[in-house]
Amino acid sequence: MKLFSQSDVLNGLKLPDYIRAVEAAHRAHGLGQIIEPDLLHAEAESGEFHIKIGGLAGEPAYFGLKANGGFFNNAEKYGLPNILGVIYICDSKNGLPLAVLDSVVISRFRTGAATAVAAKYLARADSQVQTVCGPGTQGRIQIEALLQVLPIKQVFVHGRDQARADAFAIKCAAELGINAMPAGSLADSLAVSDVLVTCTPSNEALVERDWIPPGMFVAAVGADSPGKQELAAEILAENTVVADILHQSLRVGESQHAIAAGLMTPEHIHAQLGEVICGLKPGRVDDEDIIVYDSTGTALQDVAAAALLYEKSLKDGSGTEFDLFA
């Protein structure tokens, strides 16, 4: 069995690796070559815990579990990441434990990678202007990931803390070679944007229905537990919705609010991402379509990335060997 620290994960995989792994995981989902993913939530005094499970069939075959805590006052109170946890993977044919990994880096990168994969199939190929809500670590990864698949040249940054949004935009412009600036009015920036990514811990809608222009690709990333919400429910009810994992989107994604309000039923959701990747359901069919990717995050993504790192370690010797049965 191997142990992988946060630095092992950082050094072992780069963003393009995550994008390839996540796309392969969703393709396997579309083809039914998986152990069905699921999730469990538990509320805590200052945050929440979630456990996500799932597996990938094939040779080799992996099952994995991620246990994360989400505590969004961690940075301010303790100097810790807001999200902390571990990933465990095993051989799904016999249950043999293979690796335990820090989950922070994998969670961060695979979430951005999932947006990139969704954008590859659902955004307009000529999309050049992006608005991101959430000037934090995930916001940065979301920008970097979309630069891998779209010709993004302009990024508007929206956040509750104006000084933080200003600093974030300056840093992104300098380090990523793009024109990045604070959004000012979110409605105004969306009016000239092709892509919107929301990646905040909000529990109420930040984006109104009338702010979304025709043709926009919306990646709703922040809603991944009961109660979280970033988009007005009408945005989903009136447009095309693609879920990462259907039953998760219904329970913890943006779709939960439109369904609870009686604005749509589960049948309204057009497809799961894997079905689009496999060609079982169409992606974008018109430049005027507004498409929302309801991204809740799935263990399939975590397992795919962790398995890639594990397989790489068998060749380069990375990670720390640990005899669990000693």
Side-chain angles (χ1 to χ4, degrees):
M1 181 175 176
K2 288 202 169 191
L3 301 177
F4 294 92
S5 67
Q6 190 168 114
S7 59
D8 290 332
V9 180
L10 274 169
N11 293 330
L13 297 177
K14 303 305 178 186
L15 186 53
D17 298 321
Y18 285 95
I19 293 174
R20 288 192 294 271
V22 167
E23 182 167 4
H26 281 282
R27 180 176 291 109
H29 183 235
L31 295 172
Q33 299 170 348
I34 50 107
I35 297 172
E36 191 65 32
D38 208 346
L39 77 169
L40 176 69
H41 277 84
E43 293 297 321
E45 182 178 346
S46 303
E48 56 95 20
F49 293 95
H50 65 254
I51 297 172
K52 294 181 177 179
I53 63 170
L56 301 172
E59 185 60 49
Y62 298 95
F63 171 81
L65 174 153
K66 182 172 77 173
N68 266 8
F71 292 80
F72 291 96
N73 58 3
N74 266 4
E76 181 180 343
K77 290 185 67 175
Y78 306 111
L80 292 171
N82 290 336
I83 296 175
L84 293 164
V86 296
I87 295 169
Y88 158 78
I89 61 169
C90 69
D91 185 329
S92 71
K93 294 182 179 178
N94 55 28
L96 179 68
L98 299 175
V100 173
L101 309 86
D102 165 75
S103 73
V104 173
V105 174
I106 284 183
S107 295
R108 182 188 309 158
F109 277 88
R110 65 79 155 147
T111 303
T115 297
V117 173
K120 175 180 173 181
Y121 291 90
L122 303 174
R124 297 197 318 271
D126 61 351
S127 297
Q128 297 186 27
V129 182
Q130 174 187 358
T131 290
V132 59
C133 293
T137 302
Q138 187 53 233
R140 168 65 181 256
I141 294 297
Q142 292 288 328
I143 295 170
E144 291 187 53
L146 284 176
L147 287 171
Q148 298 284 321
V149 297
L150 295 175
I152 300 294
K153 293 181 172 58
Q154 170 75 59
V155 176
F156 293 106
V157 181
H158 177 79
R160 293 176 298 177
D161 185 329
Q162 190 62 49
R164 186 181 182 193
D166 291 348
F168 179 90
I170 291 170
K171 187 174 184 180
C172 286
E175 296 178 356
L176 301 179
I178 56 174
N179 185 14
M181 64 182 65
S185 164
L186 180 55
D188 289 345
S189 69
L190 291 178
V192 296
S193 293
D194 305 301
V195 174
L196 166 64
V197 179
T198 57
C199 49
T200 76
S202 177
N203 286 310
E204 59 184 16
L206 306 172
V207 182
E208 299 298 328
R209 172 182 59 183
D210 296 339
W211 298 353
I212 303 295
M216 176 167 274
F217 168 68
V218 180
V221 175
D224 61 355
S225 62
K228 282 189 175 181
Q229 182 179 16
E230 298 175 300
L231 308 178
E234 292 84 358
I235 295 173
L236 287 87
E238 297 175 6
N239 295 294
T240 301
V241 180
V242 174
D244 54 1
I245 304 295
L246 177 60
H247 66 82
Q248 291 188 189
S249 291
L250 299 178
R251 289 167 58 190
V252 302
E254 284 292 338
S255 298
Q256 66 179 293
H257 304 291
I259 290 171
L263 298 177
M264 73 182 209
T265 66
E267 289 71 28
H268 173 84
I269 295 179
H270 167 67
Q272 298 178 99
L273 181 58
E275 295 174 309
V276 175
I277 292 173
C278 294
L280 301 175
K281 298 280 184 69
R284 177 172 292 275
V285 297
D286 191 291
D287 283 349
E288 296 293 294
D289 289 344
I290 295 171
I291 302 181
V292 180
Y293 173 53
D294 197 350
S295 176
T296 61
T298 168
L300 299 180
Q301 300 162 354
D302 300 308
V303 171
L308 181 61
L309 180 63
Y310 173 74
E311 291 173 357
K312 183 174 179 291
S313 78
L314 299 179
K315 299 175 183 177
D316 64 20
S318 59
T320 301
E321 293 284 352
F322 177 75
D323 188 352
L324 186 66
F325 304 107

